[in-house]
């Protein structure tokens, strides 16, 4: 199994498309950092709007590395599923397209093992992407913008809130958030890999994955009670942004944030369970179908 | 009937006159106490209590310099400083002599009786429209002040005195102010909905009041404050 | 000689189409077994079933005396294959490709070992080049190196000469012959061309529409009694009339330009002399030993059946 995994990772590492993802992340992060370095105040003004009538705030302090990373992740984690699909959607279909699938399946390697290894390789790729994002969006931002307390602008139901997390309470939240994002993106990887079993070129599963994510995300965001109550809980995309839960700090009765606390850990935990459930289910279906599949490519 | 009304009018006039003299003295006494302070640097903790703002207690420093320069700074970290906080110092109320004092009788504050005075600026261009001050008649300390401004709404200060009562400087100030409802622009955040959000309570939407509770631990008085801090 | 591959009553149904229908055959140790059939006859499906790429609908496959599905990894560990085109990772070097498949076959991957194999197929000098830059023939050779890297007992080659130039075809033939003769490997080779099977295989099966048409040794199937003779004369009608008087009348067909007679090879001089005696001027007599007509006729009759 480890031997196969090495082979898979080696193959991924040798493909140019692997590095597209890393380059794309670097580019997006750089643009964000440049834009905020140049004119972060406008963004702050937009977010603060009428609060500025009653409060003054040192905006240069507020636009710090921690804040930047949150802003970047907010946008980037919407795009990263595409990058994950780029690799995971190619896992089986790419081999089928090249004609190597039939060759590796005539090797003394069980299909279950192969699909698990493919999945694991996609997972490792996803984690590498996130590590890269952490380096670029968090550590580089910390270097450029410095470190200070972090402000979170948040819509909670009908209300908007501004949360402040003291700087010594931020890092662990990022680690947890990146961990959560890894689980969420692994669902995408599992989905893309499942779709890739049926295809003989990698474009189909990649596009199909992206379409599913987009459609589900759109449905997730339909603010109609009947959809919110009956459909939304069943869409995995509703849980993709759950990493933010780690930044929703718990507060006392009179609204003072409690250091080291989470507002709603059970909700995050349940989301994690649901996502992990999706991974197991998708992977199970993949194994089942792949074992049964006749290789005709 | 007519003579009765005239008597009443005269009586009330007389009454006002008697009390007014008294209140003027009291205000003057309060002012004299405040005037003793040329500048100070105070450190303390500010606890902000606003519905939409979930911020931790901030360690702050307050700098003051006559006549009415005041700066509130957070010692570290990011902090939301209520804009009305510049009126934290009472000298702001008396910044120029151009005001008319009106006696508004007495009131009860925390079990003790206080005198209530309304200060009306003479200058029409003044931002302050009206200040109401509650003065302890025994100590001549301002216990509470409510200021209505043209630009920044109405805010209220409630003071508790201790060690620095001599100089008219409070140990604790509760600062109340009006805030508008905070609403994020739509669609800029993709928030994680954990399914617990509730419908807004009607009273939450309107008439939002913010409070900032500042507890001072130390004052350094009349030792000079560099002008640079006010920039 | 032990039986290496034994297939019994193998069938595969794809939706409406019965790709393989009740097929049985066996391959013995050291055989070069020819698998002949037209395109779409079910060769590839059968081969893919032997390699576990396709699950049979029914039937039994035993390889090395063991049931295939339940001993899959053990059997595949001793089997090498090229299925149609020899496909590999184009973005990797020849060395990497071979190393990857060697690793997957459970062979220890030492640099010297891989280089030795590459040298064997004449690719040692290009070991660092990406496969993308290889010619079809070079890919084919690398494919063989991959198929042989784990020293398999059984080698399955599905249409190995497809897309090769004549030199490549000749090289491939020699290689297959060498595998059997010099290394004692058992080889299953499929083709839609009889001419190819005929020169390398010792045993063969002909299938059509998924069904076995005939199976046997090539020598047997090249039985001289089945020699087809094409006769061209100065007067074909006269020749035809003469033939009607002989014992070959039943086996003769008048085709206009020539007359086709099926006979035992040894009877040919007899017929020629009979025609000469009758005054027929013979222009040419072409006996065809090959299975070509046999194959074509069988598959044609199959097609009409």
């Amino acid at each position: 199994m480890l031997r196969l995994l090495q082979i898979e990772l080696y193959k991924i590492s040798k493909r140019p498309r692997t590095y597209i993802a890393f380059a794309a992340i670097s580019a997006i992060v750089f643009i964000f950092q440049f834009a905020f370095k140049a004119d972060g105040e406008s963004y702050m003004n937009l977010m603060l709007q009428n609060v500025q009538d009653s409060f003054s705030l040192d905006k240069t302090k507020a636009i710090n590395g921690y804040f930047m990373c949150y802003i970047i992740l907010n946008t980037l984690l919407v795009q990263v599923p595409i990058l994950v699909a780029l690799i995971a959607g190619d896992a089986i279909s790419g081999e089928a397209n090249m004609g190597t699938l039939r060759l590796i399946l005539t090797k003394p390697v069980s299909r279950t093992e192969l699909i698990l290894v493919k999945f694991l390789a996609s997972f490792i790729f996803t984690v590498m992407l996130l590590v890269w994002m952490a380096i670029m969006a968090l550590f580089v931002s910390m270097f450029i913008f410095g470190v200070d307390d972090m402000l979170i602008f948040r819509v909670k139901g009908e209300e908007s809130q501004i949360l402040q997390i003291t700087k010594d309470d931020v890092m662990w939240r990022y680690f947890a958030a990146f961990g959560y994002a890894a689980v969420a993106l692994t669902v995408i990887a599992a989905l893309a890999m499942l779709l890739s079993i049926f295809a003989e070129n990698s474009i189909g599963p990649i596009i199909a994955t992206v379409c599913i994510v987009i459609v589900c995300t759109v449905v997730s965001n339909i603010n109609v009670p009947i959809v919110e109550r009956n459909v939304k809980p069943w869409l995995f995309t509703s849980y993709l942004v759950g990493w933010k839960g780690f930044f929703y700090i718990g507060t006392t009765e009179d609204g003072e944030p409690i250091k080291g606390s989470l507002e709603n850990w059970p909700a995050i935990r349940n989301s994690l369970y649901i996502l992990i459930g999706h991974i197991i289910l998708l992977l199970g279906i993949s194994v089942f179908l792949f074992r049964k599949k006749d290789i005709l490519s | 009937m007519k003579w009765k009304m005239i008597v009443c009018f005269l009586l009330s006039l007389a009454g006002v006159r008697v009390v007014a003299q008294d209140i003027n003295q009291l205000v003057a006494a309060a002012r004299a106490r405040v005037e003793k302070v040329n500048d100070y640097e105070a450190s303390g903790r500010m606890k902000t209590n606003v519905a939409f703002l979930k911020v931790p207690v901030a360690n702050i420093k307050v700098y003051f310099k006559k006549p009415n320069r005041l700066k509130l700074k957070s010692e570290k970290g990011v902090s939301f400083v209520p804009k009305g906080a510049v009126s934290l110092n009472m000298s702001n109320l008396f910044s120029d002599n151009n005001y008319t004092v009106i006696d508004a009788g007495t009131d009860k504050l925390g079990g003790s009786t206080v005198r209530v005075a309304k200060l009306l600026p003479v200058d029409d261009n003044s931002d302050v429209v009206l200040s109401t001050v509650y003065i302890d008649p025994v100590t001549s300390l301002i216990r509470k002040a409510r200021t209505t401004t043209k630009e920044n709404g109405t805010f209220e200060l409630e003071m508790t005195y201790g060690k620095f009562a001599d100089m008219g400087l409070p140990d604790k100030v509760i600062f109340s102010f009006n805030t508008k409802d905070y609403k994020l622009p739509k669609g800029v955040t993709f928030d994680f909905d954990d399914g617990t959000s509730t419908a807004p309570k009607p009273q939450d939407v309107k008439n939002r009041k913010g409070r900032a509770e500042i507890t001072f631990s130390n004052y350094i008085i009349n030792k000079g404050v560099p002008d640079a801090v006010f920039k | 000689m032990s039986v290496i591959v034994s297939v019994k009553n193998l069938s595969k149904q794809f939706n409406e189409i019965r790709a393989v229908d009740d097929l049985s055959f066996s391959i013995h140790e050291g055989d070069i077994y020819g698998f002949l059939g037209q395109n779409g006859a079910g060769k590839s499906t059968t081969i893919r079933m032997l390699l576990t790429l396709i699950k049979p609908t029914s039937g039994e496959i035993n390889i090395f005396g063991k049931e295939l599905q339940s001993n899959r990894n053990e059997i595949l560990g001793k089997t090498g294959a090229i299925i149609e085109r020899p496909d590999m990772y184009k973005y990797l070097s020849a060395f990497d490709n071979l190393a990857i498949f060697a690793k997957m076959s459970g062979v220890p991957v030492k640099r010297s070992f891989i280089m030795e194999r590459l040298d064997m197929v004449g690719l040692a000098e290009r070991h660092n080049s990406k496969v993308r830059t290889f010619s079809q023939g070079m890919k084919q050779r690398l494919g063989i190196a991959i198929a042989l890297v784990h020293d398999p007992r059984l080698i399955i080659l599905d249409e190995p000469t497809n897309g090769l130039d004549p030199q490549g075809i000749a090289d491939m033939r020699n290689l297959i012959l060498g595998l059997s003769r010099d290394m004692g490997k058992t080889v299953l080779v499929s083709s839609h061309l009889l001419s190819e099977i005929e020169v390398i295989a010792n045993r063969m099966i002909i299938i059509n529409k998924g069904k076995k048409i005939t199976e046997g040794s090539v020598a047997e199937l090249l039985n001289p009694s089945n020699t087809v003779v094409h006769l061209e004369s100065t007067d074909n009608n006269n020749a035809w009339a003469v033939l009607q008087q002989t014992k070959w009348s039943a086996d003769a067909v008048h085709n206009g330009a020539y007359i086709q007679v099926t006979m035992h090879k040894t009877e040919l001089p007899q017929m020629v002399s009979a025609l000469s005696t009758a005054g027929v001027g013979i222009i040419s007599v072409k006996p065809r030993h090959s299975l070509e007509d046999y194959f074509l006729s069988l598959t044609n009759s199959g097609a009409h059946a």
Side-chain angles (χ1 to χ4, degrees):
Chain A
M1 194 91 166
L2 193 67
R3 176 172 54 98
L4 282 180
L5 186 61
Q6 278 176 353
I7 294 174
E8 273 316 308
L9 292 176
Y10 183 73
K11 287 194 290 198
I12 290 179
S13 75
K14 283 281 179 178
R15 305 200 66 173
R17 79 165 65 184
T18 305
Y19 301 96
I20 294 173
F22 290 92
I25 287 174
S26 310
I28 294 170
V29 170
F30 174 74
I31 290 166
F32 262 98
Q33 287 165 342
F34 178 79
F36 273 77
K37 193 79 195 169
D39 191 20
E41 214 162 292
S42 304
Y43 179 84
M44 271 301 187
N45 290 339
L46 173 75
M47 297 308 277
L48 289 167
Q49 285 193 349
N50 47 19
V51 177
Q52 302 211 70
D53 296 345
S54 333
F55 294 94
S56 60
L57 171 75
D58 187 347
K59 284 171 202 148
T60 48
K61 263 185 173 180
I63 302 170
N64 56 57
Y66 290 145
F67 176 78
M68 279 309 297
C69 184
Y70 189 83
I71 298 294
I72 294 169
L73 290 193
N74 200 15
T75 308
L76 206 52
L77 285 176
V78 181
Q79 334 291 344
V80 168
I82 300 169
L83 302 177
V84 171
L86 206 62
I87 294 300
D90 185 59
I92 304 293
S93 58
E95 301 261 7
N97 187 31
M98 269 185 299
T100 43
L101 182 63
R102 52 175 196 250
L103 196 49
I104 57 179
L105 289 180
T106 58
K107 295 289 156 195
V109 170
S110 81
R111 290 197 189 184
T112 309
E113 228 180 322
L114 189 79
I115 201 108
L116 290 179
V117 160
K118 287 275 184 193
F119 169 74
L120 235 96
S122 302
F123 170 74
I124 290 170
F125 170 77
T126 305
V127 170
M128 295 304 287
L129 269 188
L130 287 169
V131 168
W132 183 244
M133 271 168 71
I135 292 169
M136 294 302 294
L138 182 58
F139 294 112
V140 173
S141 292
M142 282 165 74
F143 178 75
I144 298 175
F145 294 90
V147 168
D148 214 314
D149 294 351
M150 183 178 172
L151 295 182
I152 307 289
F153 301 99
R154 174 203 185 185
V155 175
K156 187 188 183 190
E158 295 294 316
E159 288 175 65
S160 297
Q161 288 182 343
I162 299 171
L163 307 176
Q164 183 178 347
I165 303 170
T166 51
K167 61 183 167 196
D168 55 349
D169 192 26
V170 173
M171 228 6 156
W172 72 271
R173 294 176 192 272
Y174 270 118
F175 279 110
F178 275 109
Y180 185 100
V183 175
L185 290 174
T186 303
V187 177
I188 310 276
L191 173 69
M193 197 181 69
L194 171 61
L195 295 172
S196 106
I197 290 174
F198 301 106
E200 283 182 14
N201 65 69
S202 46
I203 306 298
I206 291 168
I207 290 178
T209 306
V210 172
C211 285
I212 290 172
V213 172
I214 288 173
V215 169
C216 290
T217 306
V218 169
V219 175
S220 288
N221 286 309
I222 296 176
N223 295 320
V224 175
I226 191 162
V227 175
E228 282 193 353
R229 232 175 305 119
N230 302 318
V231 183
K232 206 172 161 182
W234 298 101
L235 298 173
F236 71 96
T237 46
S238 310
Y239 306 98
L240 292 183
V241 288
W243 62 273
K244 289 188 174 182
F246 288 106
F247 293 95
Y248 297 161
I249 190 167
T251 54
T252 58
E253 283 287 300
D254 54 358
E256 196 192 325
I258 305 162
K259 198 177 145 184
S261 72
L262 294 171
E263 181 190 70
N264 196 346
W265 164 242
I268 302 171
R269 192 190 53 212
N270 290 343
S271 300
L272 272 173
Y273 287 160
I274 290 165
L275 291 172
I276 291 168
H278 272 83
I279 294 169
I280 293 169
L281 184 73
L282 289 167
L283 196 57
I285 296 171
S286 298
V287 169
F288 176 75
L289 291 176
F290 192 58
R291 284 183 68 93
K292 269 182 53 174
K293 187 179 161 62
D294 287 335
I295 308 301
L296 303 170
S297 62
Chain B
M1 199 65 185
K2 219 168 196 175
W3 64 269
K4 261 188 179 172
M5 278 183 68
I6 293 166
V7 169
C8 274
F9 179 65
L10 286 173
L11 272 176
S12 67
L13 259 183
V16 167
R17 180 135 188 87
V18 170
V19 177
Q21 272 180 335
D22 192 12
I23 200 77
N24 271 322
Q25 278 168 18
L26 199 55
V27 169
R31 187 181 166 186
R33 210 186 266 278
V34 169
E35 297 264 281
K36 281 200 254 176
V37 179
N38 288 318
D39 58 62
Y40 67 75
E41 179 190 331
S43 33
R45 289 161 66 76
M46 180 173 72
K47 191 174 165 199
T48 312
N49 198 335
V50 179
F52 62 80
L53 211 53
K54 312 289 184 192
V55 297
V57 170
N59 288 316
I60 53 156
K61 273 214 183 317
V62 176
Y63 301 93
F64 167 76
K65 197 165 190 174
K66 261 186 173 174
N68 59 356
R69 282 196 289 180
L70 187 130
K71 182 85 181 175
L72 196 155
K73 274 189 176 172
S74 164
E75 266 185 38
K76 55 172 192 167
V78 177
S79 67
F80 286 88
V81 177
K83 281 205 168 153
V86 287
S87 63
L88 210 55
N89 195 272
M90 290 304 110
S91 69
N92 206 41
L93 296 171
F94 313 117
S95 57
D96 40 1
N97 260 324
N98 287 327
Y99 50 84
T100 315
V101 180
I102 298 169
D103 192 342
T106 59
D107 204 344
K108 287 250 177 195
L109 262 185
S112 56
T113 307
V114 290
R115 295 294 305 270
V116 184
K118 289 188 188 292
L119 310 184
L120 280 161
V122 176
D123 183 3
D124 278 348
N125 295 325
S126 165
D127 182 40
V128 177
V129 178
L130 170 71
S131 297
T132 310
V133 289
Y134 298 69
I135 305 172
D136 190 314
V138 184
T139 57
S140 67
L141 286 167
I142 300 167
R143 294 277 303 276
K144 184 173 162 180
R146 189 187 302 117
T147 308
T148 305
T149 63
K150 287 175 190 162
E151 298 284 321
N152 295 322
T154 299
F155 44 84
E156 202 173 283
L157 297 160
E158 253 181 89
M159 270 81 51
T160 312
Y161 294 88
K163 279 190 286 183
F164 300 93
D166 266 2
M167 309 299 257
L169 295 172
D171 281 10
K172 187 178 174 186
V173 180
I174 296 171
F175 177 66
S176 310
F177 52 94
N178 291 328
T179 63
K180 286 180 188 159
D181 194 19
Y182 178 56
K183 201 87 192 143
L184 271 171
K186 261 215 171 340
V188 294
T189 58
F190 297 93
D191 279 282
F192 174 50
D193 180 2
D194 55 23
T196 57
S197 53
T198 47
K201 295 162 213 131
Q203 71 267 27
D204 274 3
V205 179
K206 282 179 193 167
N207 194 26
R208 293 230 182 213
K209 271 264 181 208
R211 260 158 55 101
E213 228 176 279
I214 302 171
T215 315
F216 293 103
S217 52
N218 191 34
Y219 284 98
I220 301 166
I221 304 161
N222 294 343
K223 291 274 157 36
V225 171
D227 284 342
V229 300
F230 299 104
K231 276 171 190 156
Chain C
M1 264 200 302
S2 61
V3 173
I4 297 287
V5 179
S6 158
V7 171
K8 283 186 190 128
N9 310 109
L10 189 66
S11 293
K12 177 65 187 180
Q13 186 86 29
F14 289 117
N15 299 323
E16 304 290 289
I17 302 148
R18 201 157 187 87
V20 174
D21 193 359
D22 200 29
L23 196 63
S24 300
F25 61 90
S26 47
I27 303 173
H28 294 86
E29 179 125 50
D31 273 350
I32 297 180
Y33 193 84
F35 210 72
L36 189 61
Q38 290 176 320
N39 290 328
K43 299 188 301 282
S44 280
T45 305
T46 308
I47 283 177
R48 280 166 188 254
M49 284 194 280
L50 291 178
L51 290 167
T52 70
L53 292 175
I54 293 178
K55 297 245 179 325
T57 308
S58 64
E60 206 180 293
I61 301 172
N62 286 286
I63 298 179
F64 308 127
K66 285 177 177 160
E67 202 281 316
L68 177 60
Q69 274 310 323
S70 42
N71 300 282
R72 181 179 178 274
N73 286 1
E74 189 197 332
I75 290 167
L76 290 180
K78 290 188 275 182
T79 306
I82 298 180
I83 308 146
E84 293 167 35
R85 289 154 290 130
D87 286 309
M88 42 215 104
Y89 301 104
K90 295 181 182 67
Y91 55 90
L92 296 180
S93 67
F95 183 92
D96 282 344
N97 266 288
L98 195 53
I100 281 176
F101 288 109
K103 232 181 195 177
M104 290 190 82
S105 307
V107 173
V109 182
K110 284 210 190 88
R111 196 182 161 78
S112 58
F113 177 84
I114 302 291
M115 286 308 294
E116 204 177 287
R117 301 285 143 152
L118 284 171
D119 192 44
M120 212 174 73
V121 292
L123 289 172
E125 277 172 29
R126 294 289 302 273
H127 72 276
N128 250 340
S129 307
K130 298 245 188 301
V131 170
R132 177 182 298 126
T133 64
F134 280 15
S135 69
Q136 190 62 31
M138 289 164 83
K139 283 187 200 161
Q140 197 80 22
R141 279 184 278 155
L142 182 57
I144 288 158
I146 289 170
L148 299 179
V149 74
H150 54 300
D151 196 25
R153 263 177 91 187
L154 171 66
I155 296 153
I156 296 176
L157 305 168
D158 189 8
E159 301 271 4
T161 53
N162 252 9
L164 291 187
D165 58 16
Q167 183 57 48
I169 293 173
D171 288 348
M172 180 62 76
R173 277 181 192 162
N174 290 333
L175 186 110
I176 294 169
L177 288 168
L179 286 174
S180 165
R181 194 179 51 224
D182 308 331
M183 299 163 83
K185 310 279 186 205
T186 306
V187 183
L188 167 63
V189 56
S190 83
S191 179
H192 62 283
L193 297 171
L194 177 76
S195 55
E196 224 167 82
I197 298 294
E198 159 178 59
V199 292
I200 52 172
N202 63 325
R203 288 183 61 79
M204 64 184 288
I205 184 170
I206 299 177
I207 66 167
N208 188 49
K209 295 208 152 176
K211 281 198 166 83
K212 173 158 79 176
I213 300 221
T214 184
E215 187 201 4
S217 76
V218 173
E220 241 171 65
L221 295 174
L222 280 166
N223 192 320
S225 66
N226 291 316
T227 303
V228 176
V229 179
H230 283 185
L231 172 76
E232 216 182 315
S233 66
T234 47
D235 185 351
N236 282 344
N237 290 333
N238 188 22
W240 177 250
V242 175
L243 281 174
Q244 291 308 307
Q245 310 304 316
T246 66
K247 60 175 174 177
W248 303 290
S249 60
D251 300 317
V253 180
H254 191 342
N255 266 341
Y258 62 90
I259 294 162
Q260 179 181 306
V261 188
T262 307
M263 63 176 68
H264 196 280
K265 206 174 175 179
T266 53
E267 295 169 349
L268 189 56
Q270 235 181 306
M271 184 186 76
V272 172
S273 91
L275 287 168
S276 306
T277 313
V280 175
I282 294 169
I283 294 171
S284 76
V285 176
K286 282 188 256 172
R288 294 170 57 117
H289 315 282
S290 91
L291 284 166
E292 197 81 44
D293 296 297
Y294 183 70
F295 171 56
L296 286 175
S297 66
L298 281 177
T299 51
N300 283 340
S301 72
H304 294 300

